[in-house]
Amino acid sequence: VWKAGFDGGQLVAELFPDVLPKLRECQAAGIPLYIYSSGSIGAQKLFFGHTTEGDLLGMFDGHFDTTSGGKKEVESYRSIAANMGFAASKICFVSDVIAELDAAREAGMQTVLRTADQDEGSDHSQLVSFQQLAIS
């Protein structure tokens, strides 16, 4: 149903306004971008292939879903880092779920909490907008 809807133009994925500029900035800087979502890889590709900004699939270097393991499990992040071919310490994982960030950090990744409001109970770096994410 989703495929038919996206392919037929009845469904179009809307992005938060801060997403595309940051994706472009990362791409221009040569920073590889990956998605790890509880949504299937197929769903990710439908979503990012049919956005209000057009087909953005070419901006991503890879996709991961729960076939790599649960998003709150440390081993999932270790597996993803190995699959990406990077040391975990070179990967920045952004999420709005603290338990996912905890698992990613335990695997050695840098973590950033995307939140609408400052979360005083979190010890992860935080941002409200992707524009706050430093690219280096």
Side-chain angles (χ1 to χ4, degrees):
V1 173
W2 281 22
K3 181 169 178 17
F6 278 113
D7 288 346
Q10 294 90 353
L11 296 176
V12 180
E14 192 167 334
L15 302 174
F16 289 106
D18 60 329
V19 172
L20 185 57
K22 187 54 69 174
L23 292 177
R24 286 183 175 144
E25 183 181 345
C26 289
Q27 190 174 44
I31 296 170
L33 297 168
Y34 293 82
I35 298 171
Y36 178 29
S37 174
S38 54
S40 71
I41 291 171
Q44 294 172 37
K45 289 182 176 182
L46 284 171
F47 185 95
F48 285 100
H50 300 86
T51 77
T52 54
E53 303 296 329
D55 182 349
L56 304 182
L57 284 176
M59 301 184 109
F60 296 97
D61 295 272
H63 302 266
F64 298 95
D65 62 14
T66 55
T67 61
S68 296
K71 292 190 73 186
K72 297 176 183 175
E73 298 172 16
V74 176
E75 196 53 43
S76 303
Y77 297 90
R78 289 184 179 132
S79 173
I80 287 170
N83 190 290
M84 289 170 59
F86 297 107
S89 63
K90 300 292 183 187
I91 298 170
C92 178
F93 179 70
V94 180
S95 178
D96 61 350
V97 179
I98 291 174
E100 294 174 3
L101 295 167
D102 290 343
R105 181 173 52 202
E106 189 174 333
M109 293 181 182
Q110 301 169 54
T111 58
V112 178
L113 173 64
R114 180 174 176 143
T115 179
D117 299 302
Q118 185 77 11
D119 184 337
E120 300 297 330
S122 174
D123 60 350
H124 296 278
S125 297
Q126 298 182 37
L127 58 79
V128 174
S129 167
F130 276 120
Q131 294 310 308
Q132 295 172 277
L133 189 61
I135 301 299
S136 58

